[in-house]
Amino acid sequence: MSTINVERFHRLYGTHKKRIKYQDKDFLDYLVMLGICALVMFVGYGTQHVLAWVGAGLCLFMAVMFPIHHGAKFKVPVILRAPQDGVFLLIHKVQNIKAPYYIAIAMLLAENVLIYYTPTWPHYVDWMRRIAFGLFWLHLSIITVYRTAILIAHIRKRDLVQEVLAQSAWKGRVETKGQTLRSIFHGYLTGLLTHLVYLVPWYMVITYLNFSLVLMPVTILLAFAVQKVNVTTLNDWFYRDHWLSHNSEIDFVYMHGVHHDAIPSGMIAVAGNGPLEGLARSAIAFPIPFFNPLIATFFYTVDVKSDIDMHQYIPGIFPKLPKEFLGVIQHSLHHFGMLEPYGFAINLDQPISDDLKKMTKVLPDELKYSIRLDQELNGYQWDNPKFRWYMALVERYHDERGTPAHDTGGQTEGASQ
């Protein structure tokens, strides 16, 4: 008998409305969301900071793209129609916070108190802050270069992008070569904007709080310990947060929708989130921004790079996950139009190769068998027609350099979103 508390995962205050894509009536809400993103970047980075102005330019680009993709109707924004839902959204986020988040904040506050009361110790606070900013730029540079390499790979194989997506729910975005190229750039710039907003809480932490050089060995060891616990709670946390993202209308429109408005490519990814959603996750969910900058840089870089790889669902294009790994995770279906699964949807409880066992050995059981949460909460079926359709695409295109354009070979299942 299951001991999972279904009500805890599916509790929803306010308007309950399942959403997986934007509509023309969301236009004003979308503009408000972008305005908040720009404001957050100007406040977080500073009005003269290059990242704030780059982010504002990206917001302008996204505002232009929305009516091109969806049209535009001028309907009263949901935040004005149901302002209480905005309060409920915040309550949902706070209720879902796990213990590692609070522990990380307590560790950072304790470090700052100790620095304050031990001014003669060799903390080298100013030197640590300069190092922290350097590490911030290192992380941003590494991920941006990687994301740009993926952009170039998609441009070079744009015919393959068009052919694969023409067989899916994304066919309306790739009807012509020009539309395909526009969709590729839209995905890339979506990832850039999402990343800039996501990093604002970390930037503010390293700007306004102190880190000690002499305490660094201890704080790094503690950070590793906290993160080890944190990864065991991730699927539980993610299922709840992600379920809300698709069942609370305000959560989808303002937080998560951007993540589903770009083609299913690694270019769009940061931490499985839209821009404002990433801000919330970085500020009131993840412990990483409160760690020592050295270890925070490591965790941020590994996590974002991994999320980019895990969102590359156009087979045959860099970065390529092993075919076997694509066969044991079903989050791909979510980006081709299915609401479920809501969790990470990994299933290693089946015959797998020794290579895959080595690749996934660092994962806790809570992630290795994360599909079980969807199965218990929703009755999710691992063997389903949509997954067979996607794996047929993987088998056909994963190792190919390209095939004749628009030769669908009858593989049209999943073409509705």
Side-chain angles (χ1 to χ4, degrees), residues 191-209:
L192 290 181
L193 174 62
T194 303
H195 196 195
L196 290 183
V197 179
Y198 178 67
L199 292 180
V200 166
W202 185 31
Y203 188 88
M204 294 184 72
V205 167
I206 62 178
T207 298
Y208 297 108
L209 291 168

Side-chain angles (χ1 to χ4, degrees), residues 27 30-31 34 58-69:
F27 181 54
Y30 192 81
L31 293 182
L34 291 176
L58 291 170
C59 288
L60 181 60
F61 169 83
M62 300 291 279
V64 172
M65 292 303 295
F66 187 96
I68 293 174
H69 289 154

Side-chain angles (χ1 to χ4, degrees), residues 114-124 214:
L114 189 55
I115 290 171
Y116 180 80
Y117 283 106
T118 57
T120 60
W121 289 17
H123 296 298
Y124 292 101
V214 72

Side-chain angles (χ1 to χ4, degrees), residues 37 140 147 154 198 205 207-208 222 249:
C37 287
L140 185 60
R147 200 184 303 278
H154 281 66
Y198 178 67
V205 167
T207 298
Y208 297 108
L222 290 174
E249 183 172 33

Side-chain angles (χ1 to χ4, degrees), residues 30 58 61-62 65 69 147 183-196 257-263 267-270 273-275:
Y30 192 81
L58 291 170
F61 169 83
M62 300 291 279
M65 292 303 295
H69 289 154
R147 200 184 303 278
S183 294
I184 290 171
F185 276 103
H186 175 251
Y188 174 72
L189 296 178
T190 294
L192 290 181
L193 174 62
T194 303
H195 196 195
L196 290 183
V258 177
H259 185 61
H260 283 273
D261 202 37
I263 59 174
M267 293 183 296
I268 74 172
V270 175
N273 53 266

